[in-house]
Amino acid sequence: ALIDMYARCGCIEYAHQVFDNMPTRDDVSWNAMIVAYAQHGQGKEAIRLFEKMQLEGVKMDCATFIGVLSACSHAGLVDEGYLFFASMHQDY
């Protein structure tokens, strides 16, 4: 909830600090941070976090893919968005 609140207030740095200082992160916290980056046009950061989420073995859900596709859309990352969309159908 704090990540979302800071992101909605435009304080993406504070949202990221809360995320970084969490002792354990679940899929909801990962998704909130990805969506926060997406809403602020920071598509590459959202993608970086998505990839880190994959590496850490966190289970992804539809909210995760909506977040990363939204990030690609807002940042004009069409090719990356297409690759994530294709991956969503093939891998998940």
Side-chain angles (χ1 to χ4, degrees):
L2 275 176
I3 293 170
D4 185 54
M5 182 208 58
Y6 280 129
R8 288 177 188 262
C9 292
C11 300
I12 195 77
E13 302 85 19
Y14 289 137
H16 189 81
Q17 282 180 349
V18 169
F19 181 79
D20 278 346
N21 291 322
M22 294 177 75
T24 57
R25 300 178 193 117
D26 60 6
D27 59 330
V28 174
S29 55
W30 284 92
N31 290 343
M33 198 65 232
I34 289 170
V35 169
Y37 282 131
Q39 290 174 339
H40 290 276
Q42 297 184 21
K44 293 193 185 238
E45 281 299 313
I47 290 170
R48 184 191 61 76
L49 201 60
F50 177 86
E51 291 169 345
K52 187 174 178 184
M53 185 179 181
Q54 284 180 313
L55 289 173
E56 293 194 16
V58 179
K59 185 177 182 285
M60 298 181 188
D61 58 14
C62 60
T64 311
F65 283 100
I66 289 169
V68 78
L69 290 173
S70 175
C72 291
S73 172
H74 283 104
L77 303 170
V78 177
D79 293 335
E80 290 87 341
Y82 178 78
L83 291 174
F84 286 118
F85 183 76
S87 169
M88 183 172 64
H89 282 288
Q90 292 173 351
D91 303 331
Y92 301 96

